[in-house]
Amino acid sequence: MIDRAGLEVLSEEECFRLLTKAPIGRIVFTDRALPAIQPVNFAVHDRAVIIRVAANSRLATAASNAVVAFEVDEFDRDGGTRTGWDVVVVGHAAPITDPDQLREARQLDLRPWAPGIREHYIRIDLRMISGRRILPAADGGTA
Amino acid sequence: MIDRAGLEVLSEEECFRLLTKAPIGRIVFTDRALPAIQPVNFAVHDRAVIIRVAANSRLATAASNAVVAFEVDEFDRDGGTRTGWDVVVVGHAAPITDPDQLREARQLDLRPWAPGIREHYIRIDLRMISGRRILPAADGGTA
């Protein structure tokens, strides 16, 4: 299916597959009434995005019982083909406090890229997931 | 300088340089009271990020006299080195309506990747720009 912007609308299954493969995502939230975004590495588990954060961090505060967006994408960096895709999740974010869920989260392959101790886990429900792909231009991408 | 999360804080000059080089950025806004994010290509001109949007698009509506965030990043996709950087702009977004500014915007190298007619230009002021870099881990990145 093509949307009104001319982009291919990805199926939920395809969105989920792309999300699972991505090494880095971006969490979108509100920080002191301003839009904020932060790249994080993550795991997908039990129909949720799981991230690790430091206690008292900006992210731990912002993603505590709030609706956030979470985005992954991949674009042709050199721009030669001008193609790419993005997948966006919108869902409720909350710290994992249940002992069983916390045990499961700790067993995920989720080592933070950034240094420092990050022993809080945030769970973002995959309630809404959508994605789009930019198809190669009909003109072959000539400028 | 290293921040309390252990990441290198980039100078404003370095942020600006990285922003100018990036082929794709992500605009962060609010859409019907929910956090939203959309990748776009863009140009940097006169201390502002300039994007092209279609009239009556979700983005044209959302970025009409609102504070938005705009993010660019680059991470080691394979994850081998677990390094990368991100730069975030927070600023006021507004459609370009001034004839002189519009003429300048039309002369930028700003051909949309997505198909369709996009003849509205949005300007995001570079009022706040900040960035961080994840340095290679001291343990050499071994898992």
Side-chain angles (χ1 to χ4, degrees):
Chain A
M1 197 181 91
I2 306 293
D3 71 6
R4 69 188 182 114
L7 304 177
E8 182 192 357
V9 177
L10 304 177
S11 69
E12 196 176 314
E13 189 185 346
E14 177 71 352
C15 289
F16 195 76
R17 189 185 69 78
L18 290 168
L19 175 69
T20 307
K21 276 177 49 185
I24 289 280
R26 299 159 196 93
I27 184 164
V28 173
F29 55 101
T30 301
D31 182 31
R32 282 166 275 181
L34 289 177
I37 175 168
Q38 187 171 320
V40 285
N41 65 321
F42 66 102
V44 179
H45 177 69
D46 191 21
R47 293 294 288 180
V49 168
I50 314 288
I51 63 171
R52 275 173 79 164
V53 298
N56 307 318
S57 61
R58 185 175 79 130
L59 208 47
T61 307
S64 180
N65 295 309
V67 174
V68 302
F70 188 81
E71 192 251 15
V72 293
D73 63 35
E74 192 171 320
F75 290 92
D76 173 16
R77 288 226 156 249
D78 303 325
T81 65
R82 303 172 73 89
T83 54
W85 56 263
D86 76 297
V87 168
V88 179
V89 170
V90 178
H92 185 254
I96 298 178
T97 53
D98 175 82
D100 288 341
Q101 283 190 12
L102 208 47
R103 197 174 313 119
E104 282 180 34
R106 288 191 181 123
Q107 284 166 3
L108 297 172
D109 180 18
L110 187 50
R111 191 166 61 96
W113 285 31
I117 295 164
R118 290 174 167 36
E119 286 312 335
H120 283 236
Y121 290 82
I122 303 277
R123 180 192 155 92
I124 304 166
D125 283 336
L126 282 177
R127 211 164 299 178
M128 283 162 52
I129 186 167
S130 61
R132 304 183 310 167
R133 190 190 304 272
I134 301 181
L135 303 167
D139 67 0
T142 52
Chain B
M1 197 182 92
I2 305 295
D3 71 5
R4 68 187 183 114
L7 304 177
E8 183 193 356
V9 177
L10 303 178
S11 69
E12 197 175 315
E13 189 186 346
E14 175 73 352
C15 289
F16 195 76
R17 190 185 69 79
L18 291 167
L19 175 69
T20 307
K21 276 176 51 185
I24 289 280
R26 298 158 197 93
I27 184 164
V28 172
F29 55 101
T30 302
D31 184 30
R32 282 166 277 182
L34 289 176
I37 174 169
Q38 188 172 318
V40 285
N41 64 323
F42 67 103
V44 178
H45 177 68
D46 191 23
R47 295 294 290 181
V49 168
I50 314 287
I51 63 171
R52 275 172 78 164
V53 299
N56 307 317
S57 61
R58 184 175 80 129
L59 208 46
T61 308
S64 179
N65 295 308
V67 174
V68 302
F70 188 80
E71 191 252 15
V72 294
D73 64 34
E74 192 171 320
F75 290 92
D76 173 17
R77 288 227 157 252
D78 303 325
T81 65
R82 304 171 75 91
T83 55
W85 57 262
D86 76 300
V87 169
V88 179
V89 170
V90 178
H92 185 254
I96 297 178
T97 54
D98 175 81
D100 289 341
Q101 284 189 11
L102 208 47
R103 197 174 314 117
E104 282 180 32
R106 287 192 182 119
Q107 284 166 3
L108 298 171
D109 180 19
L110 188 51
R111 192 167 58 96
W113 285 30
I117 296 164
R118 287 160 210 281
E119 287 311 335
H120 283 237
Y121 290 82
I122 303 279
R123 179 192 156 91
I124 304 166
D125 283 336
L126 282 177
R127 209 163 302 178
M128 282 162 54
I129 186 166
S130 61
R132 303 184 310 167
R133 190 191 302 275
I134 301 181
L135 302 167
D139 67 357
T142 51

